[in-house]
Amino acid sequence: MAEPVVLARPEILSPIGQATLRQLLRVWFDFERRLSRVPIIQRLETGTFTLLDYQHLLLNLRQQVIEGSRWISRCASSFDREHADIRSVIIGHAHDEHRDYEVLEQDYVAAGGDLITIRQRPRNPGSEALHGYLMYRASEPNPVGLLGAMWIVEGLGEKMAKDWAARIEPLAGIGSDATRFLRYHGSNDDSHMNKLYGLIDRICTTEPVADDTLRTATVVGRLYALQLEEIDVA
């Protein structure tokens, strides 16, 4: 189980911000429990994960990674001038990650996969649902609730990606040249999480906005788990 998210500077949070953070942590722990019940993650945790599992994982993550920069960019474009500071943070985030899928493709090839195969792979039903929900929310005016989506997605990178890479390499019989996507996010998403901490006070200024953020995090966590569950269905 990943270590709990720790806030570096809790004194910056308003009362609503503090309450929102506590609830986001609860959403995260529920998400962790859901992931632990997903078959491919169970195999990783019990040591029965294979090279084929890793290839299937990358095949099914690629479309979500490609679409990630799209919904984040759409989200940024949906903020008005009164939220220009939020828009700037999100634009920077989209810029940081808009070509991550290329690293994932290279990992797939390094793990014995075929580049054409991963590029032609369609979204699985879970990825389709996740993408549709995120693009819908990102198209709303000033979609501040998507802070909850970023909390789940970036939390995965910060708290799980590096550990997954360390487990996958010996089980799948591959080297670090095939887990660069996971290792990059394991090493860099902590800075992204720090930006999210800074946005909690800025965004969660009322109870309705805080509730929307929590609801969005819950939905994204469930859809992300569904995306991974579909690996064993496809």
Side-chain angles (χ1 to χ4, degrees), residues 24-37 218 221-222:
L24 282 170
L25 288 171
R26 293 190 180 98
V27 172
W28 173 261
F29 295 145
D30 179 69
F31 175 55
E32 281 189 324
R33 287 191 291 269
R34 287 182 180 277
L35 283 185
S36 70
R37 296 193 294 267
T218 299
R222 294 187 181 187

Side-chain angles (χ1 to χ4, degrees), residues 13-148:
L13 293 179
S14 66
I16 293 179
Q18 291 174 3
T20 303
L21 178 58
R22 287 193 295 270
Q23 292 296 321
L24 282 170
L25 288 171
R26 293 190 180 98
V27 172
W28 173 261
F29 295 145
D30 179 69
F31 175 55
E32 281 189 324
R33 287 191 291 269
R34 287 182 180 277
L35 283 185
S36 70
R37 296 193 294 267
V38 173
I40 195 169
I41 302 304
Q42 288 181 332
R43 294 196 293 275
L44 182 58
E45 293 180 347
T46 58
T48 59
F49 191 90
T50 66
L51 176 60
L52 187 59
D53 281 328
Y54 184 52
Q55 291 174 348
H56 286 168
L57 176 65
L58 295 180
L59 276 173
N60 285 270
L61 284 181
R62 177 182 178 273
Q63 284 299 325
Q64 179 254 312
V65 172
I66 289 177
E67 302 300 350
S69 61
R70 288 186 59 205
W71 72 258
I72 294 172
S73 298
R74 176 72 63 83
C75 175
S77 70
S78 296
F79 283 104
D80 59 27
R81 67 177 63 185
E82 294 181 4
H83 297 79
D85 56 327
I86 300 174
R87 183 172 61 220
S88 295
V89 172
I90 295 174
I91 287 173
H93 183 56
H95 177 268
D96 288 344
E97 300 195 349
H98 78 287
R99 300 187 70 175
D100 280 4
Y101 72 92
E102 294 179 347
V103 178
L104 192 151
E105 289 177 350
Q106 294 163 11
D107 284 351
Y108 181 72
V109 172
D114 178 72
L115 185 60
I116 294 177
T117 298
I118 194 170
R119 287 182 173 175
Q120 293 180 343
R121 181 79 171 193
R123 292 191 290 263
N124 74 36
S127 300
E128 196 76 58
L130 178 62
H131 169 66
Y133 176 72
L134 289 172
M135 287 297 286
Y136 160 70
R137 293 304 311 271
S139 300
E140 296 177 329
N142 299 317
V144 291
L146 281 175
L147 172 66

